[in-house]
Amino acid sequence: MGAEHSAGGMNAFLELTKLNDDYRKRGVLKAFLEGAGDGKRSFYIQLIEKYRKEWTLVPEWYSQRMKRYETSLTHSSYTRFIVQNQSALVMGQGQSSILETHVTLHRIYGVPYLPGTAIKGVTAHYCHRYVGEEHVEFRIGGKYYNLLFGCEDQASRIHYHDAFPTEDTIGQALVLDVMTPHHHEYNLNGESMKPPRDDDSPVPIPFLSVRADFQVLLSCESVNEDSVALLGLAQKLVVAAMEHEGIGGKINAGYGRFKKAAEL
């Protein structure tokens, strides 16, 4: 798998998570030691520049790898479509990181992606909460809910695959973002510190977010009219969930919104 990576070898996931023998000179260590502020911001800017240089021309292996997902489904029904980015995406920020904030990147390819489990999870939530409000069979335990997402007694008929950036947006996928908590000390130490005050100084914290369109792939092992209809239903739910609910973190702040762009 590693041999599929581009000739330059820059992998954003490894840049953020791994230290080599020359780790004392690595920007990630400097950013960690300096904490929030200019050191971390500079590190992210340099990483984004290296990433964009690496993906200025999309390598052939990436195109082939994306096609391979589809060709592996020769005995299955499937649907492919693009969801277009409407706002910055924050995925994986709750995971542990020496840099305080994290971002979900593929371990092998080093690019942002939407895990199939995340797509399935947000769609299942949307289906139960909103569609199920009007149609009981779309609630947890209902006939269509079980077909789309499974239950304790049966597996889901639909497979939700990982979604990867489109070739025309992958090169600009990583962007610098910032959050500005106003009670930084209190948030770190809780009850051991004085309570938060209106005159607390805000502390800008830089972090990485994602701006890219994604190729979504859904499949069903059987090939018949029922499978095609179920896939069509699943696609509508995925698009509605990502458009109205959003995916990833900070969705209440407007992050993670998409809309359907095109069929593939």
Side-chain angles (χ1 to χ4, degrees):
M1 296 288 286
E4 291 179 302
H5 208 271
S6 55
M10 187 274 180
N11 183 310
F13 173 80
L14 297 180
E15 291 285 328
L16 287 170
T17 61
K18 304 296 181 184
L19 294 175
N20 58 20
D21 293 337
D22 197 22
Y23 71 91
R24 294 184 185 280
K25 297 181 181 179
R26 289 287 297 277
V28 66
L29 180 65
K30 185 175 184 294
F32 165 69
L33 294 175
E34 293 186 4
D38 292 339
K40 190 174 179 182
R41 183 176 182 275
S42 298
F43 169 72
Y44 282 144
I45 290 174
Q46 292 174 19
L47 184 144
I48 290 170
E49 289 177 351
K50 289 171 66 176
Y51 173 88
R52 290 181 176 178
K53 183 178 180 181
E54 178 78 4
W55 290 92
T56 299
L57 296 176
V58 179
E60 182 63 25
W61 67 258
Y62 186 78
S63 303
Q64 294 176 352
R65 192 66 186 92
M66 295 304 104
K67 291 177 182 177
R68 198 179 306 170
Y69 283 107
E70 182 177 348
T71 56
S72 67
L73 300 172
T74 52
H75 301 294
S76 302
S77 301
Y78 64 88
T79 180
R80 292 175 64 226
F81 56 97
I82 293 175
V83 288
Q84 187 177 51
N85 181 247
Q86 299 296 295
S87 63
L89 168 72
V90 177
M91 181 70 72
Q93 200 169 70
Q95 298 178 27
S96 60
S97 169
I98 66 169
L99 295 176
E100 190 174 4
T101 57
H102 192 61
V103 60
T104 297
L105 300 173
H106 196 275
R107 292 172 179 267
I108 303 300
Y109 310 145
V111 301
Y113 75 107
L114 303 177
T117 51
I119 297 173
K120 181 178 181 179
V122 70
T123 306
H125 171 77
Y126 179 86
C127 179
H128 169 75
R129 181 175 180 182
Y130 295 102
V131 184
E133 193 172 293
E134 298 183 7
H135 306 282
V136 66
E137 292 182 334
F138 286 90
R139 297 178 189 171
I140 293 177
K143 174 185 175 182
Y144 289 114
Y145 184 96
N146 292 344
L147 288 172
L148 291 163
F149 309 108
C151 61
E152 292 184 3
D153 300 326
Q154 70 180 64
S156 167
R157 289 276 305 279
I158 302 298
H159 299 285
Y160 301 79
H161 301 262
D162 295 342
F164 291 91
T166 61
E167 292 186 22
D168 58 342
T169 62
I170 191 172
Q172 303 292 318
L174 292 182
V175 296
L176 184 65
D177 211 327
V178 63
M179 64 179 80
T180 312
H182 283 68
H183 312 296
H184 185 70
E185 249 185 86
Y186 176 78
N187 292 335
L188 287 178
N189 300 284
E191 296 179 359
S192 65
M193 301 299 295
K194 294 183 296 184
R197 297 161 49 102
D198 290 339
D199 59 352
D200 287 343
S201 297
V203 180
I205 300 176
F207 67 96
L208 291 177
S209 61
V210 175
R211 284 272 192 177
D213 301 339
F214 288 86
Q215 307 170 57
V216 181
L217 173 62
L218 309 176
S219 68
C220 184
E221 292 180 1
S222 54
V223 182
N224 52 48
E225 291 185 5
D226 289 341
S227 299
V228 173
L230 196 61
L231 280 168
L233 178 58
Q235 176 177 319
K236 290 180 180 179
L237 288 171
V238 168
V239 172
M242 295 178 70
E243 181 176 353
H244 300 295
E245 281 284 275
I247 187 169
K250 299 173 73 69
I251 57 175
N252 288 335
Y255 283 74
R257 296 295 199 277
F258 291 82
K259 70 176 184 179
K260 182 181 173 183
E263 297 277 355
L264 292 174

